[in-house]
Amino acid sequence: MTGPDAIPDGEQITKESLKGSIGFLLRLAQIGAFAHFFTVTAGENVRPGEMTVLDLIRENPGIRQGVVSKTLKIKRAQMSKMIARMEADGLVERRVPEEDRRSVELRLTPAGKEKTTRVTALFPEIDRRSVKHLTAAEVTELRRLLIKMTGLDKTKGGGNP
C-alpha cells in the first residue's frame, strides 16, 4: 500500500454503485480539476474559489460584494474574510458607494488585474488536463450539459443563476 488513500494490496472492492451517483461523479471530477489547478498554478498562491472571485470582479468592475457572494454561492462571512485577505494582499479595492452605504463595491487593483490575467491564461491547460480522457466533442457536450445543469444557460448579463 502506498499513499494515504491507497487500498491495501490484494483488497478488491466493487464501485459500480458509485457510477450511478451524479453527485459522487461530480465530486470526483471536482477533486481532479482542483488537483490540476494546483499543479498548473503552483507558485501563484491562489485557490480556485479566490480565482473565481477575482475573475468575476475583473469581468464586472464595481460589482457589489453581496452580488459576488450570491452569484458564487459563498456565505457572506466567508466572502468578507476572502475579500479582506485579497485587499490585504493588494489585489482588490473596496469602496462604499455614497448612494448605498450598506454595500461595498469591488474593483481589482493593478496587481489584481495582472495576477488575474496571468492565472486565467493557465485555465486552458487546467481544462486540458481535466478532460484528457474526453474527445473534443465530448468536452463540448460536457460543458453544454454542466451549463444547463447549473442554470447558467438561463442567465444573461447581470442575472443570477
Side-chain angles (χ1 to χ4, degrees):
M1 181 161 81
T2 58
D5 297 326
I7 298 170
D9 292 336
E11 186 88 19
Q12 295 198 0
I13 62 171
T14 301
K15 299 180 270 186
E16 287 305 309
S17 63
L18 300 178
K19 292 178 184 177
S21 169
I22 297 289
F24 178 75
L25 294 171
L26 286 170
R27 179 69 177 134
L28 283 183
Q30 178 192 33
I31 290 168
F34 280 12
H36 296 306
F37 178 92
F38 287 114
T39 298
V40 173
T41 64
E44 289 293 342
N45 192 28
V46 67
R47 297 177 187 155
E50 294 167 343
M51 199 56 236
T52 303
V53 169
L54 288 171
D55 200 32
L56 190 63
I57 296 169
R58 177 200 55 78
E59 192 172 27
N60 301 279
I63 190 170
R64 295 179 188 238
Q65 186 170 318
V67 173
V68 175
S69 176
K70 191 179 272 187
T71 300
L72 299 178
K73 313 265 189 273
I74 298 173
K75 293 178 183 171
R76 296 184 126 214
Q78 182 63 29
M79 177 60 63
S80 294
K81 289 179 191 175
M82 186 185 300
I83 295 299
R85 269 194 318 269
M86 291 177 177
E87 186 177 38
D89 290 343
L91 302 174
V92 172
E93 295 173 334
R94 294 191 277 188
R95 185 180 81 80
V96 177
E98 288 294 323
E99 68 277 5
D100 185 0
R101 307 291 295 162
R102 297 171 299 156
S103 65
V104 176
E105 293 178 345
L106 304 172
R107 284 187 166 66
L108 295 182
T109 63
K113 288 176 186 174
E114 192 275 323
K115 183 170 192 150
T116 302
T117 298
R118 190 174 62 246
V119 176
T120 56
L122 301 172
F123 284 5
E125 176 60 17
I126 296 165
D127 285 350
R128 186 188 67 72
R129 292 176 185 216
S130 297
V131 297
K132 65 184 174 197
H133 300 297
L134 302 178
T135 66
E138 289 169 334
V139 171
T140 299
E141 181 67 357
L142 176 62
R143 185 173 280 114
R144 185 189 71 75
L145 290 171
L146 288 171
I147 289 169
K148 186 174 182 177
M149 182 178 178
T150 58
L152 288 175
D153 61 331
K154 306 254 188 291
T155 63
K156 297 229 185 325
N160 288 324

